[in-house]
Amino acid sequence: FDVDGAPKTGTERQMRLAMLSAGVLDQVQAAFDALPPESMAVKIEWDYATEIPRVSPLSTVIKSTGITNAQLTQLFRTALTL
């Protein structure tokens, strides 16, 4: 856990369900779908990783949709319950 009590990682399933519950999964998926070819490694991680680290290129793309650090923290907290 981080100093704010949020988990450092969430499983792909947990995180996607948390994003679905928060109503942001479609916008996050669209951000990954729109990545340019030179960012293919990040897209592959999104598609096939078993965990999403809180500090990672995946989280950077998630935040690029306008999700704040506080909202991201809440997504990870919610994911832990799923």
Side-chain angles (χ1 to χ4, degrees):
F1 288 88
D2 284 338
V3 292
D4 60 7
K8 290 184 180 183
T9 64
T11 69
E12 188 72 25
R13 181 189 68 79
Q14 290 172 313
M15 290 302 297
R16 288 183 190 232
L17 286 171
M19 287 183 248
L20 178 65
S21 175
V24 298
L25 181 59
D26 288 343
Q27 73 189 51
V28 169
Q29 183 63 56
F32 280 99
D33 290 344
L35 288 174
E38 60 269 17
S39 296
M40 185 57 68
V42 176
K43 181 152 177 27
I44 290 170
E45 283 190 56
W46 171 249
D47 290 338
Y48 301 103
T50 57
E51 289 189 334
I52 296 178
R54 189 148 170 239
V55 177
S56 70
L58 294 174
S59 292
T60 300
V61 174
I62 293 167
K63 290 193 300 184
S64 76
T65 66
I67 292 172
T68 65
N69 283 329
Q71 290 169 317
L72 185 63
T73 296
Q74 187 56 49
L75 285 172
F76 275 88
R77 286 183 178 146
T78 299
L80 185 63
T81 69
L82 302 172

